[in-house]
Amino acid sequence: MPISTSLEAAYNEQINLEMASSYAYLQMAAFLDEENLPGMSSWMRMQAEEERVHALKFFDFVLEREGHVELTSIASPGLSLSTALSAFEASLGHERKVTAAINDLYALATDERDFASYPLLNWFVEEQIEEESTVGLIVEQLKMIGDDRTALLMLDRELGARQPSAEGE
Ligand code: MG
């Protein structure tokens, strides 16, 4: 069954939000590189790639459901970053916003009895639990680290070891 007009619009908005996330993560990656934290920068860069993959999951779904994809302008991340902690806090705030958007999509799909949306949205519900938990832990560890530069460099090394994952997870 083709996608409804309202779901089509909502998924197009989500494509834009995922692309804006990718853009925001890229800005964070640049900031962390400038701060001489290449491991954290690389972590954010992988995150940016993941968000692009997320956008494409919605992109493919709309097309598969005989909908129309309309790409719109991607907003400037507009982040004022001062420390690694501020970058990861911005990331956590952003992930919570994405989780709320996924929840809204779920509610809309349910209202419209569009059960074909469920496998896709269930994947994103699980993904968001993981994202918030991962970023939340890094934020807490950065708070513990405080002004301890040695510990900050250790965490930078650890995050730099992250490998790209399959399927944008
Ligand atoms: Mg995402």
Side-chain angles (χ1 to χ4, degrees), residues 55-85:
L56 290 175
K57 279 181 190 279
F58 287 108
F59 178 97
D60 288 336
F61 185 75
V62 170
L63 295 175
E64 229 172 0
R65 299 286 307 282
E66 299 170 56
H68 171 64
V69 168
E70 185 72 39
L71 298 178
T72 51
S73 310
I74 302 169
S76 154
L79 297 165
S80 59
L81 305 172
S82 51
T83 57
L85 176 61

Side-chain angles (χ1 to χ4, degrees), residues 14 17-19 21-22 25 47 50-55 58 94-95 98 102 123-124 127-128 131 168:
Q14 190 65 28
L17 182 60
E18 300 288 349
M19 291 304 288
S21 303
S22 180
Y25 278 121
Q47 198 74 2
E50 250 192 46
E51 298 307 336
R52 213 179 64 83
V53 172
H54 291 172
F58 287 108
H94 197 81
E95 288 304 331
V98 171
I102 299 291
W123 186 90
F124 276 99
E127 171 67 11
Q128 285 310 116
E131 295 279 41

Side-chain angles (χ1 to χ4, degrees), residues 7-164:
L7 265 175
E8 180 187 75
Y11 282 130
N12 270 290
E13 264 181 54
Q14 190 65 28
I15 291 169
N16 187 276
L17 182 60
E18 300 288 349
M19 291 304 288
S21 303
S22 180
Y23 212 36
Y25 278 121
L26 212 47
Q27 182 69 74
M28 294 172 200
F31 167 76
L32 291 162
D33 186 81
E34 288 161 16
E35 290 291 297
N36 304 308
L37 295 165
M40 292 183 187
S41 176
S42 153
W43 191 94
M44 286 292 187
R45 198 169 168 136
M46 269 176 225
Q47 198 74 2
E49 267 313 294
E50 250 192 46
E51 298 307 336
R52 213 179 64 83
V53 172
H54 291 172
L56 290 175
K57 279 181 190 279
F58 287 108
F59 178 97
D60 288 336
F61 185 75
V62 170
L63 295 175
E64 229 172 0
R65 299 286 307 282
E66 299 170 56
H68 171 64
V69 168
E70 185 72 39
L71 298 178
T72 51
S73 310
I74 302 169
S76 154
L79 297 165
S80 59
L81 305 172
S82 51
T83 57
L85 176 61
S86 74
F88 281 89
E89 276 176 336
S91 162
L92 182 58
H94 197 81
E95 288 304 331
R96 286 180 176 155
K97 192 176 144 187
V98 171
T99 300
I102 299 291
N103 288 345
D104 287 347
L105 285 172
Y106 213 109
L108 183 62
T110 302
D111 279 352
E112 300 205 354
R113 297 176 55 83
D114 192 81
F115 303 121
S117 284
Y118 280 8
L120 175 76
L121 294 177
N122 282 334
W123 186 90
F124 276 99
V125 167
E126 282 194 37
E127 171 67 11
Q128 285 310 116
I129 294 172
E130 166 117 36
E131 295 279 41
E132 284 190 42
S133 154
T134 305
V135 180
L137 178 63
I138 298 171
V139 165
E140 289 310 311
Q141 289 184 338
L142 281 167
K143 285 182 189 165
M144 272 187 248
I145 286 171
D147 292 331
D148 183 343
R149 281 165 179 259
T150 308
L152 183 65
L153 290 175
M154 279 174 68
L155 184 60
D156 185 64
R157 292 271 164 87
E158 188 190 321
L159 294 180
R162 176 182 175 179
Q163 297 296 318

